[in-house]
Amino acid sequence: MVALCASFCESILLSMLLLRSALAAEHLSAAATATAQCQTSCGGVEIPYPFGILSDSCPTEPVFEVFCNDTGNGVYKPFIGNIDLLSVDVQLAQARVMNRISSSCYNTSSQRMNFERWRMNLTGSPYRFSDSANKFTVIGCRTLAYIADQDYVGKYMSGCVSVCRRGELTGVTDGICSGKGCCQTAIPKGLDFYKMWFEESMNTSGIYNKTPCSYVVLMEASNFTFSTTYLTSPLKFNDTYGGKAPVVLDWSIPTAENCVEAKINFTSYACKSDNSVCLNSTNGSPGYICNCSEGYQGNPYLHGPNGCQGVVASVLAGFFGFLGWEVIRHKQRNKKQALLRQTDEFFQQHGGLLLLEMMKADGNVGFTLYKKGEIENATNNFNKTHIIGEGGQGTVYRAVIEGVAIAIKKCKEIDESRKMEFVQELVILCRVNHPNIVKLLGCCLHFEAPMLVYEFVKNKTLQELLDLKRSRRFHVTLGTRLRIAAESAMALSHLHSLPHPILHGDVKPANILLAEGMVAKVSDFGCSTIDEKTQAVLKGTPGYIDPEYLLEYQLTAKNDVYSFGVILVELLTGKRPLSKESKTLTSLFQEAMADGTLIDILDSDIVEEACMRVIHRAAALASQCLVVPGMTRPSMAGVAAELQQLALADEVQRCPQPQLVLEDLNIMEMGSTVSMWYDESKTRGAYSLENKAVLSIEFAR
Ligand SMILES: *[C@@H]1O[C@H](CO)[C@@H](O)[C@H](O)[C@H]1NC(C)=O
Ligand SMILES: *[C@@H]1O[C@H](CO)[C@@H](O)[C@H](O)[C@H]1NC(C)=O
Ligand SMILES: *[C@@H]1O[C@H](CO)[C@@H](O)[C@H](O)[C@H]1NC(C)=O
Ligand SMILES: *[C@@H]1O[C@H](CO)[C@@H](O)[C@H](O)[C@H]1NC(C)=O
Ligand SMILES: *[C@@H]1O[C@H](CO)[C@@H](O)[C@H](O)[C@H]1NC(C)=O
Ligand SMILES: *[C@@H]1O[C@H](CO)[C@@H](O)[C@H](O)[C@H]1NC(C)=O
Ligand SMILES: *[C@@H]1O[C@H](CO)[C@@H](O)[C@H](O)[C@H]1NC(C)=O
Ligand SMILES: *[C@@H]1O[C@H](CO)[C@@H](O)[C@H](O)[C@H]1NC(C)=O
Ligand SMILES: *[C@@H]1O[C@H](CO)[C@@H](O)[C@H](O)[C@H]1NC(C)=O
Ligand SMILES: *[C@@H]1O[C@H](CO)[C@@H](O)[C@H](O)[C@H]1NC(C)=O
Ligand SMILES: *[C@@H]1O[C@H](CO)[C@@H](O)[C@H](O)[C@H]1NC(C)=O
Ligand SMILES: *[C@@H]1O[C@H](CO)[C@@H](O)[C@H](O)[C@H]1NC(C)=O
């Protein structure tokens, strides 16, 4: 199969996982007694009920059918559809299966890239990719790989980028997968389909004699440990895994939507064991799972002796329990003391003393050094409920200290050698006082990772505004768009113009907050300064990231100009930056500009005869921001000046704009109702889907 495909190959692994749900329910009760005659293992793999292998002696149909096929020479192996089954876990309601590794290798004879791409379709089956156990994993030295749902437009799309600075392996480390030679990103809940593709402009043709191959696979995170040999010997990764890596699937009984419904019909209710409980499926699929009640072990789907049985609870257990408790208490005491010692170490490491000195010398200007306890108290010990965003450089918590609402950003840990520099930059940052930049109020250096404290901007982000616009729930006039663009440009221009310029590095709509009156405030820099020079971690977001930066791996002011250009195009067209496979919005836009067909891709909401002059000028400006090479792009100051002019142009003010608000929605109340599931601009970390920033596509983890 693989040999047959020339340069591109895509296969559906699992397309026909048909579930005869009506039948399945009927047979559940019968199966509980029929298991005795049924084969319960295949090729050394246990096949516990409700999974089962059909045969003449076991004609009853299980909910989850497993094939036990001869793979040649009498070696039997279990399969779900045509996927290799590794194991089934009834307690966790998970199955481990094999997923194909996709690759992109430079072919020296054809001088082209050879792609092998795989996807997996679980639609219509009771399986979902486990969001907690799997990671989208990318290996390569010049690789950007995308992952998407089947209908990714408006739904899920993400990417991961992996590069080696100038193709060299310096800084690439065994066991560390953080964007250098290796990248991993989490997937959202409920994913039942995944496809992937490579960004073709990021290819290994320039480094083929060192690392000709890139690999991509959605796989079990715990099964993967990065090794630098995966880069030094081109076929090593593929060979180590034999072309397939394990991926974990969550399954659930699909015959009822949830436990409440399942219990209505006791005949079809799957939790047959006496001491079992029903749990709603937690991974986005309708359905339920069974588990043994606390203190019981066994198979909750079976009656009788194989069902849930009481664990031998005895005096002995109690005795060991007591011992264990004492050991734990002792350990906790030690841990607490160690922590106290550490706190001060961290403070010193992060240059707290230096900062204090500088503040004294400076007669300090409203910069606060927060105490550890204050931060912990205010965030309820970094309780999840306080999280308001999770971005490339850290997690953001909402808190109130002394009656003032603040946002606390927990940076990623920083490099020893960079700590002094970080502190110096903090001092610069806290002097930044601009109406369109989120104000840095202070910091706390008593933690392993530095904490930055910002003013709290309650209102939404430009990303959310654009999403509302796209779902036609909110109308945004041309004037507002240009004003937001102008304000953001002024903010970036200000950062670039400081005596010690600050480069943002991750300019995107999700990082432009809209405060009261929809005033734009640029956020999410600060921690960024930590990495900017050493480029320990690659920053940016697919769709907004400057392709030049990916090649050079060296952040410049022109990279911010490029990202800003993408935002401008987004504001003019209303389209998402990554909307079509292998054709980004920027290339679509640049082609339209070249062909004179701009009007075809403009957002119809803003197209007005009277405004076309302004729109054309804004489009020309965006086009200049996107040109390659970056050296020829305008400066952020130039962009800001032009946009200010355009935003204030008379015709924009007069331009007739439909006050279209289809639903009576207040943008400020939209937080929980906006569909969180789409995304091209986010992903990372724990995907609690409750906020947008969490979905922020992440590069380089
Ligand atoms: C309950 O489920 C059984 C087995 O699927 C089915 O035969 C029966 O009709 C169902 N009863 C009701 C009330 O839906
Ligand atoms: C296993 O056998 C079943 C039934 O003969 C067939 O439908 C299925 O495709 C086979 N799977 C594999 C991977 O060979
Ligand atoms: C089922 O119960 C076991 C033991 O109490 C627990 O470890 C497991 O996480 C539970 N499974 C689910 C899916 O909650
Ligand atoms: C490289 O390309 C040539 C010519 O297209 C082809 O015959 C050959 O099979 C390719 N090599 C690999 C390893 O795919
Ligand atoms: C995935 O499978 C479902 C159900 O079999 C089918 O409707 C859908 O078209 C498949 N998707 C793709 C992209 O093949
Ligand atoms: C590799 O990417 C460059 C642009 O970065 C492009 O010019 C070149 O054609 C690509 N080469 C292959 C083999 O795809
Ligand atoms: C990864 O999974 C495979 C298949 O189950 C197993 O053989 C291998 O030992 C695992 N490797 C690690 C490092 O967990
Ligand atoms: C990876 O391994 C599989 C199975 O051995 C093979 O079919 C595939 O061609 C290999 N891919 C590459 C890029 O060598
Ligand atoms: C399952 O979901 C239903 C409907 O959302 C809800 O009413 C019920 O309380 C849930 N049950 C459990 C055990 O979580
Ligand atoms: C935390 O807050 C509580 C009540 O608001 C207060 O009593 C306590 O002193 C605070 N602790 C610290 C360390 O600030
Ligand atoms: C987080 O806060 C919520 C609500 O205030 C509380 O129910 C929960 O127990 C807290 N979680 C932790 C881990 O402290
Ligand atoms: C958010 O914006 C709305 C409308 O512009 C305004 O009424 C509200 O006061 C703002 N809230 C905050 C906290 O800025």
Side-chain angles (χ1 to χ4, degrees):
M1 166 83 208
V2 165
L4 291 177
C5 15
S7 68
F8 169 86
C9 170
E10 183 164 21
S11 278
I12 305 164
L13 276 182
L14 179 61
S15 52
M16 292 293 290
L17 255 179
L18 285 182
L19 195 95
R20 276 158 272 177
S21 17
L23 279 177
E26 199 176 310
H27 288 114
L28 266 170
S29 47
T33 49
T35 41
Q37 305 105 270
C38 294
Q39 189 182 343
T40 56
S41 80
C42 173
V45 177
E46 285 293 319
I47 310 291
Y49 192 77
F51 286 69
I53 300 160
L54 257 118
S55 68
D56 292 341
S57 61
C58 178
T60 51
E61 191 177 351
V63 186
F64 302 97
E65 185 174 4
V66 173
F67 298 112
C68 190
N69 292 11
D70 188 345
T71 57
N73 308 323
V75 178
Y76 282 83
K77 279 190 175 173
F79 293 91
I80 300 173
N82 59 357
I83 301 179
D84 310 60
L85 175 65
L86 294 173
S87 62
V88 173
D89 188 319
V90 171
Q91 266 72 44
L92 299 176
Q94 288 182 331
R96 284 174 85 230
V97 301
M98 280 296 198
N99 191 10
R100 295 270 185 165
I101 295 171
S102 300
S103 63
S104 159
C105 292
Y106 184 74
N107 181 334
T108 41
S109 57
S110 67
Q111 300 192 339
R112 299 174 58 155
M113 301 306 298
N114 276 11
F115 298 110
E116 237 177 68
R117 290 171 41 190
W118 296 91
R119 65 189 193 200
M120 203 189 267
N121 189 356
L122 305 172
T123 314
S125 82
Y127 301 96
R128 295 288 179 271
F129 294 105
S130 167
D131 60 305
S132 53
N134 302 309
K135 287 257 168 72
F136 182 63
T137 304
V138 175
I139 291 170
C141 267
R142 195 166 284 179
T143 315
L144 166 54
Y146 301 102
I147 173 174
D149 195 356
Q150 56 186 328
D151 176 25
Y152 54 86
V153 178
K155 276 186 121 191
Y156 172 65
M157 172 161 174
S158 181
C160 219
V161 71
S162 170
V163 290
C164 310
R165 194 169 189 181
R166 304 209 171 92
E168 299 292 336
L169 295 184
T170 42
V172 178
T173 317
D174 279 339
I176 295 179
C177 189
S178 64
K180 280 185 176 174
C182 177
C183 172
Q184 283 188 311
T185 190
I187 56 165
K189 281 189 191 298
L191 195 65
D192 63 359
F193 177 96
Y194 105 91
K195 67 178 169 195
M196 62 72 50
W197 66 98
F198 294 93
E199 170 64 52
E200 293 183 25
S201 65
M202 286 264 299
N203 58 54
T204 52
S205 62
I207 52 168
Y208 69 86
N209 50 2
K210 285 186 197 143
T211 40
C213 286
S214 305
Y215 295 102
V216 172
V217 64
L218 177 63
M219 72 178 287
E220 184 179 28
S222 64
N223 195 264
F224 177 77
T225 310
F226 177 64
S227 161
T228 50
T229 59
Y230 293 162
L231 299 173
T232 50
S233 34
L235 300 179
K236 181 77 187 288
F237 177 67
N238 197 50
D239 290 350
T240 302
Y241 284 90
K244 293 174 182 175
V247 62
V248 179
L249 308 180
D250 290 330
W251 48 265
S252 60
I253 306 286
T255 52
E257 284 279 323
N258 56 48
C259 290
V260 176
E261 275 188 31
K263 285 176 184 162
I264 292 173
N265 187 343
F266 218 72
T267 329
S268 62
Y269 183 50
C271 309
K272 293 292 175 201
S273 179
D274 287 339
N275 299 299
S276 64
V277 290
C278 179
L279 302 169
N280 287 343
S281 157
T282 54
N283 193 357
S285 55
Y288 64 99
I289 55 180
C290 309
N291 205 353
C292 288
S293 315
E294 221 179 307
Y296 290 83
Q297 276 176 6
N299 189 329
Y301 300 93
L302 293 175
H303 272 308
N306 291 325
C308 303
Q309 301 295 322
V311 182
V312 190
S314 67
V315 183
L316 266 184
F319 175 67
F320 283 116
F322 174 73
L323 267 187
W325 189 65
E326 274 302 299
V327 170
I328 289 169
R329 278 221 320 191
H330 182 71
K331 277 196 172 156
Q332 278 177 342
R333 269 198 301 271
N334 281 348
K335 219 171 152 185
K336 201 162 179 183
Q337 279 162 3
L339 262 177
L340 276 174
R341 274 197 305 275
Q342 262 188 0
T343 304
D344 276 332
E345 275 169 30
F346 288 134
F347 184 66
Q348 305 205 348
Q349 274 173 13
H350 293 303
L353 293 176
L354 174 72
L355 191 55
L356 281 175
E357 285 303 308
M358 290 170 88
M359 281 168 55
K360 264 190 236 157
D362 212 53
N364 175 248
V365 270
F367 189 76
T368 314
L369 274 180
Y370 291 87
K371 294 191 187 72
K372 187 175 179 164
E374 274 178 312
I375 300 277
E376 281 172 346
N377 222 9
T379 56
N380 195 358
N381 255 322
F382 302 104
N383 191 317
K384 274 193 193 138
T385 55
H386 282 258
I387 296 183
I388 49 174
E390 213 153 337
Q393 301 140 22
T395 310
V396 186
Y397 298 83
R398 168 186 47 82
V400 175
I401 289 184
E402 288 170 5
V404 178
I406 53 168
I408 298 175
K409 184 162 189 177
K410 187 176 182 179
C411 299
K412 281 195 215 147
E413 287 173 41
I414 61 177
D415 202 311
E416 277 304 315
S417 58
R418 294 270 302 132
K419 280 174 181 156
M420 286 304 158
E421 236 172 301
F422 174 63
V423 166
Q424 285 165 359
E425 302 209 11
L426 273 188
V427 174
I428 296 163
L429 267 179
C430 71
R431 292 206 196 102
V432 172
N433 204 346
H434 189 277
N436 302 116
I437 297 177
V438 176
K439 175 104 183 100
L440 179 67
L441 301 174
C443 70
C444 176
L445 302 173
H446 297 282
F447 294 90
E448 214 162 317
M451 305 281 166
L452 301 182
V453 178
Y454 292 93
E455 72 170 306
F456 183 67
V457 179
K458 186 173 164 223
N459 280 336
K460 298 297 171 190
T461 67
L462 178 57
Q463 177 71 49
E464 286 157 303
L465 184 72
L466 286 167
D467 287 343
L468 286 175
K469 188 236 116 19
R470 284 191 272 250
S471 57
R472 307 207 59 82
R473 286 185 293 195
F474 203 79
H475 182 79
V476 191
T477 64
L478 177 64
T480 303
R481 292 179 204 209
L482 290 174
R483 185 182 49 73
I484 291 173
E487 286 170 353
S488 313
M490 287 190 285
L492 292 172
S493 158
H494 182 77
L495 290 174
H496 289 181
S497 68
L498 294 171
H500 175 130
I502 295 172
L503 305 178
H504 190 291
D506 195 10
V507 177
K508 59 179 172 183
N511 281 339
I512 296 175
L513 308 184
L514 298 175
E516 204 157 345
M518 286 218 215
V519 171
K521 277 181 186 271
V522 171
S523 76
D524 203 28
F525 52 92
C527 299
S528 71
T529 59
I530 299 169
D531 293 316
E532 157 204 319
K533 290 193 197 67
T534 48
Q535 255 90 49
V537 177
L538 193 70
K539 311 191 305 175
T541 300
Y544 299 96
I545 197 163
D546 182 357
E548 260 186 23
Y549 168 59
L550 293 177
L551 294 178
E552 296 296 322
Y553 212 170
Q554 182 76 46
L555 197 61
T556 72
K558 301 294 186 188
N559 300 140
D560 283 349
V561 175
Y562 179 92
S563 307
F564 183 81
V566 180
I567 297 184
L568 206 47
V569 174
E570 217 180 327
L571 285 167
L572 292 172
T573 63
K575 296 189 189 339
R576 300 177 197 285
L578 296 173
S579 53
K580 244 186 176 181
E581 210 167 300
S582 74
K583 195 163 237 180
T584 58
L585 176 59
T586 51
S587 51
L588 204 68
F589 172 78
Q590 292 292 51
E591 277 167 29
M593 287 297 281
D595 303 346
T597 54
L598 175 67
I599 187 86
D600 296 343
I601 63 164
L602 286 177
D603 181 359
S604 55
D605 284 3
I606 57 165
V607 174
E608 274 299 335
E609 199 58 45
C611 286
M612 287 318 284
R613 187 191 69 94
V614 170
I615 290 176
H616 277 293
R617 275 181 61 190
L621 183 64
S623 179
Q624 285 162 23
C625 291
L626 301 173
V627 293
V628 176
M631 286 312 290
T632 55
R633 291 171 199 155
S635 69
M636 226 41 245
V639 174
E642 168 91 1
L643 280 171
Q644 265 178 295
Q645 254 192 23
L646 292 181
L648 293 174
D650 284 347
E651 62 237 65
V652 171
Q653 305 304 320
R654 276 188 274 106
C655 209
Q657 295 282 347
Q659 283 306 321
L660 171 82
V661 180
L662 290 183
E663 289 168 43
D664 184 22
L665 287 171
N666 180 340
I667 177 178
M668 305 322 156
E669 290 163 0
M670 285 307 299
S672 51
T673 34
V674 182
S675 156
M676 293 310 168
W677 226 77
Y678 113 88
D679 164 52
E680 77 254 312
S681 62
K682 10 206 127 182
T683 84
R684 154 177 310 238
Y687 288 132
S688 57
L689 296 178
E690 68 253 7
N691 70 64
K692 293 293 277 188
V694 170
L695 287 165
S696 155
I697 250 198
E698 209 37 48
F699 265 141
R701 190 104 223 208

